[in-house]
Amino acid sequence: LPPNLAVYPEAELNRELYRWLALLAAQAGPMRHWGRDNQRWAKELLARYPALYPRYRRLVEAHLALRPDPAGLPADEAALERALRQALVEPGSVERFPRSERAPWPLPLWLYPPERLDEPQAGDLDEEDEGSLKAPSSGERLAPKRASRVEENTGKGGLLLFRLENLFSWSEHVDLDRCGDDSEDLDAARVAEDLDELALSRQRLRKGGGLKLDLDLPPAEADDLPLGEGIRLPEWDYRRQCLKEDFVTLQTMLPRGAEARGLPDRLAPLARRLRRQFEHLRSERQWLRQQPQGSEPDLKAWLDFHVERQHGACAERGLFLEQRQNRRDLACLLLADLSMSTDAHLDDTHRVIEVIGDSLLLFGEALSAVGDKFALYGFSSLRRQQVRLQELKGFNQRYDDLIRGRIQAISPGYYTRMGAAIRQATRLLGQCRQRRRLLLLVTDGKPNDLDLYEGRYGVEDTRAAVLEARREGLLPFCITIDREAGDYLPYMFGANGYTLIHQPQQLPFRLPQLYRQLTQA
């Protein structure tokens, strides 16, 4: 048994689990089949001590709530998961377990063999009984092998019979500060078992260390500049149907090395075109009805006045139309996805991050021309402790060459924890006093991160963050270039809450146009 357990969120359930495992270990014998033996021991233990049954049921029900839903698993994994659930609920009821290429979710209520715990219990299937689970056994021995001596090969000499120009290769310099790993190869025994003949040499080779890479944050002197302390944010856990308070840490940052830069020459013609279009919105005039004086009569107001006078009740109202300057009372925050997937190439000359940067530049040019209040942010994440929000332009900052330089300094980050970024954007946008507040999200994929923020968990948290933004009176809208967005964005943003750009190269031009359509109503 382990020295301690932390399977359940409640300490009392963990204590009950430890007592159950102790009793089960006292009841257990030699393990021949991991699934059937644990069922038999549990059944015998419950039959011998009936008072344990309510406690066992409580442990099983609490554990089933933590296990993955079979509906969201592939067919073979789902069949194995249902069989294991049945075996937990009714020990002894499952004789044959469906085969699966992947190991099932761990079962803390069952005993595991004390050796070779690193191997998945579903990986070793009995060849005679293909549908059963077999526990790893330490008593297995490799079959005798034929051996032969081979001459040492110094690697010198020989004739090269091909042209090096035909050898395609690709390399990239990566700064790493990692220790070498000289641990044993855990697959060596399996590989040796598959060989019919072993070749032996007297040459001694120095063991090479295997290099294990882990995506980590850069050193402080090369990282972006943090602004203030980290911000604690909640996160929605759909499995428990609750909001986990102060679960995520978000850090606002500035791009390091950003200098004041003008608009690139290649974007200047399109920027002038957009500025002319959006300046027209600034000077656009609208008709005001029921005015006491004006340039034209208000026929609808006159008709209402005539009908009311016929019925003996006539309210005072203006009968003219007057055209006045239209004042746009709205604020917008644009949130750009800067995850590592934006480093992908769209074609031979364009990357996703470059298209996003051009979109932000043209978006800023258009909104500065119309005079709307707006802010620009980018985000990426590395687990829940490192959600990075890059401040490109705040609401109170003027759009100038310094902001343009920040946008041109953005680079691909890490992963995509959308929920935390949307919640912080909601807080920032909620401080604006404008009547209409628009939250735009530009992304190239679905939410994901290294920890549990994957699949349904990330989608559910993002959906909860979008619903929170709507309850605050905001209008969230997503713009994506992911062709598979139709599988998950309608659930997160609603059927009318997103749009797909089929040709990502058009995003710089389409983004301001979409903003114009969303704010014309």
Side-chain angles (χ1 to χ4, degrees), residues 163-433:
R163 299 173 59 190
L164 288 179
E165 291 84 355
N166 297 332
L167 181 62
F168 294 94
S169 63
W170 176 86
S171 63
E172 180 179 0
H173 174 70
V174 181
D175 288 330
L176 295 173
D177 184 12
R178 299 289 185 272
C179 298
D181 181 14
D182 287 332
S183 58
E184 293 185 3
D185 186 1
L186 299 178
D187 290 334
R190 180 180 58 82
V191 173
E193 185 178 1
D194 294 336
L195 295 176
D196 295 330
E197 183 174 352
L198 299 179
L200 305 179
S201 172
R202 296 184 182 276
Q203 184 178 7
R204 291 183 174 271
L205 296 178
R206 184 171 57 88
K207 179 176 174 57
L211 183 62
K212 294 184 178 180
L213 298 181
D214 181 19
L215 187 63
D216 205 347
L217 297 177
E221 60 272 12
D223 199 3
D224 293 332
L225 303 175
L227 298 177
E229 299 293 333
I231 303 172
R232 306 289 292 180
L233 295 172
E235 188 168 276
W236 176 256
D237 188 346
Y238 81 96
R239 299 167 302 182
R240 302 180 183 178
Q241 292 295 302
C242 67
L243 197 66
K244 295 184 285 190
E245 298 293 339
D246 299 335
F247 188 73
V248 178
T249 302
L250 180 140
Q251 178 65 60
T252 306
M253 314 189 83
L254 286 177
R256 180 178 291 272
E259 300 178 354
R261 300 174 62 182
L263 187 69
D265 294 338
R266 54 186 173 81
L267 298 179
L270 184 55
R272 288 194 295 268
R273 177 182 172 186
L274 289 174
R275 290 185 69 89
R276 287 195 299 267
Q277 294 177 356
F278 278 76
E279 284 173 354
H280 176 70
L281 297 179
R282 181 197 291 268
S283 60
E284 192 177 44
R285 302 169 68 87
Q286 65 176 358
W287 289 98
L288 302 180
R289 298 182 59 252
Q290 298 182 5
Q291 300 299 311
Q293 59 184 3
S295 58
E296 295 185 13
D298 187 350
L299 297 181
K300 187 176 185 304
W302 181 88
L303 180 61
D304 293 341
F305 170 78
H306 179 72
V307 172
E308 292 174 356
R309 188 175 62 177
Q310 294 294 330
H311 290 80
C314 182
E316 295 184 2
R317 70 178 68 227
L319 300 178
F320 296 93
L321 291 173
E322 183 179 3
Q323 196 175 35
R324 294 181 183 176
Q325 188 74 27
N326 181 24
R327 182 175 179 272
R328 295 167 61 88
D329 188 22
L330 59 89
C332 175
L333 188 147
L334 190 146
L335 195 60
D337 176 7
L338 303 181
S339 59
M340 68 174 68
S341 59
T342 58
D343 197 25
H345 280 262
L346 295 171
D347 50 35
D348 294 339
T349 57
H350 297 90
R351 292 188 303 160
V352 176
I353 189 66
E354 296 169 352
V355 172
I356 291 178
D358 293 347
S359 304
L360 295 177
L361 288 171
L362 294 177
F363 187 80
E365 297 293 331
L367 267 68
S368 61
V370 76
D372 291 346
K373 188 174 183 179
F374 71 101
L376 303 175
Y377 288 85
F379 76 96
S380 66
S381 65
L382 185 60
R383 299 185 178 90
R384 63 184 181 93
Q385 296 86 359
Q386 290 284 350
V387 179
R388 302 156 64 85
L389 187 70
Q390 288 193 341
E391 181 179 301
L392 305 177
K393 179 191 177 302
F395 281 110
N396 298 324
Q397 296 175 345
R398 181 173 175 268
Y399 185 76
D400 52 15
D401 285 347
L402 178 60
I403 304 301
R404 297 185 184 97
R406 291 180 185 175
I407 296 175
Q408 296 178 63
I410 61 175
S411 60
Y414 302 98
Y415 296 91
T416 315
R417 211 175 195 97
M418 284 188 186
I422 292 177
R423 288 186 176 91
Q424 180 61 15
T426 300
R427 291 185 179 183
L428 296 173
L429 196 54
Q431 298 173 2
C432 298
R433 298 182 179 274

Side-chain angles (χ1 to χ4, degrees), residues 144-170:
K145 303 292 182 182
R146 294 192 302 272
S148 62
R149 290 286 183 181
V150 296
E151 296 295 332
E152 297 182 7
N153 183 8
T154 60
K156 298 179 180 180
L159 180 64
L160 192 63
L161 297 179
F162 65 94
R163 299 173 59 190
L164 288 179
E165 291 84 355
N166 297 332
L167 181 62
F168 294 94
S169 63
W170 176 86

